[in-house]
Amino acid sequence: MSTPWTDQVGPDNALPEYPRPQLTRPRWRNLNGLWDYAGGAQRPTRTDERILVPYPPESALSGIRRHDDHMLYRREFAVPRDWSGDRVLLHFGAVDQRAEVSVNGREVAVHEGGCTAFSADITDALRPGRRQELVVAVEDRNERGPHPVGKQRDDPGGILYTGASGIWQTVWLEPVPEQHITSLAIVPDVPGGGFELTARTAGPGALRVQAVVTDADGREVARATGPADRPLRLPVGPPRLWSPDDPHLYDFTVRLLDDAAPVDEVGSYAGLRSVQLVADARGRPRLGLNGRILFQHGPLDQGYWPDGIHTAPTDEALRSDLEQTKRLGFNTVRKHVKVEPARWYHWADRLGLLVWQDMPSLPIDLADEPGSNPPPGPEARAHFRAEQLDLVDQLRNSPSVVVWVPFNEGWGEFGTAAIAELVRAADPTRLIDISSGVNCCYSLPDTGAGDIYDDHTYVGPGRPEVTGGRASVDGEYGGLGLAEEGHLWPGETNAYEMTTSRAELTRRYGEVSRELLDAVRDRGISAAIYTQLTDVENEVNGLLTYDRRVLKPDPATTRAHNRAVIEEGTP
C-alpha cells in the first residue's frame, strides 16, 4: 500500500532534512541512502543485500520487506576535507533495539533502546584518506526482548502491528571543535517573563556561554553571558506566550566562548508557556496552559505508515498528519506508545498542537486475561526506566509536549507511583498522566499518583468524576470504523463500532461529540482523546485511511463538533 509521498522516496533523497531542529549547526552530512545489508535469525558476518536507510527492514521502502532478529548494516563514507582539525560526531536518530557501532573495525558505541537518539565521537577511529567504513550490528527480537516495544509484534493483528526494526531514523555526521556545546536545556519561566538556559558542554577548560534571543522578526529581545554548564536567565519582556492559537517561538543563538572569542555556535528555538492544574469556578482541578483552563481535545496518533511502518516516507508526510489534526479543529495530539523523530515535534511546535507523549510500553501478551500477566523482570524494568529518562531529556525543550504518559492500560506496568516520582524529578515543568486507562484492561490498582485520572471507554465517551487533586480526562474514546474499499491493508478489518458510509460516520461522530460535550459540562472533564487519527493496518477506526488518501468524515462538520467541545471546556 502506497501513500501520496511513496514515489518521492529514493536513494538520493531519503529524508534529507536537517534532523535536529533544536540544536543546529551549518555543517553536517546526511548518511541516509543505500547501505549494504544482511539479516537473519543468527548474526550475519557479511552483507549480500542492499537496504534504503533509514526505513526499517520490514517496510516496503527499505527494499527488504521482512523482519530479521539480527541485522548487519555497512557503508563507506568520506569526511569532508574542510572538517580537518574538528572532532567528528556520528549521530543516530533511533535504532531498534540493540546497536553495536564500529568505524574502521573499531567499536565506537553500544546502545540499547529503540526510541531515543544516541551519538559517538568517531574522530579517533578515522584513518588517513577519505574512505571510512561504518558498520552497525543490530539485534531486535520485538516482544521477545526485554525492551519497550509499544505495539510492535512478530505476529501482528487487531491492535498490534508490524514491527519496525533496525535503523529507522536519520544517520548523520557533524564536525565540532574540541570544546563544544553538547546540548541545551531551555526552561520557560512565564511568571518571570523569560527563559532559563543551560548549555551543556564538552572539552577542556572553564569556558563561558553567550546566549542571544531574537523574536520572529529578527529583533534581539534578550542577551546574557555566564559560565558554561550553569543556568543563564534570559528575560524577554514583554513576553509573547506560546499556545495552539498563537504558536509563537523565540530563536536562540548560543556561543561557547574562550576568553571573548567564540569557539562553537549553535542555533535553537523555544516557546514561552507554562503547564499546570487550574481550579475552575467549582474548585475542580482542570488542565491549564499559561495559567488559564484550556480544554485539550485531539486524536490518538500511532505514527504508523503502510510504506515505512515507523518511518514516515518524507518530512512533508510527517507534517501532513499534524496539519490534518489542526484542520479538523483539534488542539492536541496523543502520541501513542511511540516516539517520533525530532522533526515531528518541530512541526507540532510550529503548527501549535499540544502533545501528550506516551512512553513505549514493555511487552505484554494481550491474549492473557487481565491480571494474569507476570510483572516485567529486572532487566526490562531497568530498560524502561532508562529509556523513559532519555525520552524526557530528549524532548524537554519542545513547547508542544505538555503531558508525559508512562503507562497505558497496564501494559508492562510496574512501580507506578515510583515511576511518577522518577518522571517528576526529571521534569517538574510538565504534567504526568501516570496510567492512561487506569479504569480498564491490565492496569494495576489506581495509586493516586500523577496529575491526571484517565478513563478509557469505548465507544463512550466516559464520564469520570473529578476526585481528589487530579484532573479527570477521557484518555481514549470513540473508535468509530469505516472500511474504505481500495484503501485497506490485507486482512480482516476491525473497529470498536463499524459504520457503513462516510455520511453515517459523520453522523455518529456528531452524536458521540454531543455526548462528550455533555460530559464536559456536567463532570468537569479536562481533556478527550479520540481513537484515532488514521487507520493502522487492519484497524479502520481512523479519521483518515491508512494510506492518508481519504478523509472519512465531513471535515467541516467534524471541525465544528471539535471546536464546540473545546469551547465548552474552556471557561
Side-chain angles (χ1 to χ4, degrees), residues 296-316:
Q296 300 182 20
H297 192 17
L300 195 74
D301 181 352
Q302 309 211 51
Y304 276 74
W305 298 83
D307 46 8
I309 308 180
H310 266 195
T311 308
T314 68
D315 190 61
E316 180 186 353

Side-chain angles (χ1 to χ4, degrees), residues 21 25 44 83 103 120 228 231 319 347 351 381 389 473 494 502 539 554:
R25 290 185 176 94
W83 292 11
V103 173
R319 185 182 73 245
W347 288 119
L351 293 170
R381 295 181 187 213
L389 291 176
V473 307
N494 66 87
R502 296 183 196 176
E539 261 195 283
D554 177 72

Side-chain angles (χ1 to χ4, degrees), residues 156-174:
I159 65 168
L160 304 174
Y161 317 126
T162 303
S165 305
I167 298 172
W168 67 277
Q169 291 187 31
T170 292
V171 185
W172 55 294
L173 295 170
E174 178 184 40

Side-chain angles (χ1 to χ4, degrees), residues 69-201:
D69 281 358
H70 294 271
M71 294 147 274
L72 186 65
Y73 295 80
R74 178 191 175 278
R75 68 158 291 163
E76 291 187 342
F77 66 92
V79 177
R81 287 190 171 89
D82 64 354
W83 292 11
S84 177
D86 290 316
R87 307 298 296 181
V88 178
L89 304 183
L90 172 64
H91 301 290
F92 292 85
V95 182
D96 200 352
Q97 295 167 324
R98 187 180 194 274
E100 300 174 5
V101 184
S102 63
V103 173
N104 299 323
R106 178 171 175 174
E107 185 175 273
V108 296
V110 176
H111 182 265
E112 295 199 43
C115 68
T116 53
F118 65 98
S119 303
D121 185 333
I122 65 171
T123 312
D124 296 337
L126 299 175
R127 61 192 176 195
R130 289 180 52 79
R131 307 310 302 178
Q132 316 291 333
E133 182 186 58
L134 170 59
V135 175
V136 185
V138 184
E139 180 183 5
D140 184 349
R141 293 182 290 132
N142 283 334
E143 73 270 25
R144 291 168 287 125
H147 301 86
V149 294
K151 290 195 172 186
Q152 302 179 79
R153 291 298 186 272
D154 287 334
D155 186 18
I159 65 168
L160 304 174
Y161 317 126
T162 303
S165 305
I167 298 172
W168 67 277
Q169 291 187 31
T170 292
V171 185
W172 55 294
L173 295 170
E174 178 184 40
V176 296
E178 184 177 15
Q179 300 163 309
H180 61 274
I181 296 166
T182 60
S183 65
L184 302 176
I186 305 174
V187 180
D189 176 14
V190 170
F195 299 91
E196 179 183 278
L197 178 145
T198 302
R200 302 164 183 162
T201 63

Side-chain angles (χ1 to χ4, degrees), residues 407-418:
F407 295 116
N408 178 77
E409 295 184 353
W411 303 347
E413 185 178 353
F414 69 96
T416 314

Side-chain angles (χ1 to χ4, degrees), residues 37-40 48-49 56-59 62-68 165:
Y37 177 81
D48 54 9
E49 297 178 270
E58 296 92 338
S59 71
S62 74
I64 302 298
R65 298 174 182 254
R66 70 171 187 269
H67 171 76
D68 293 315
S165 305

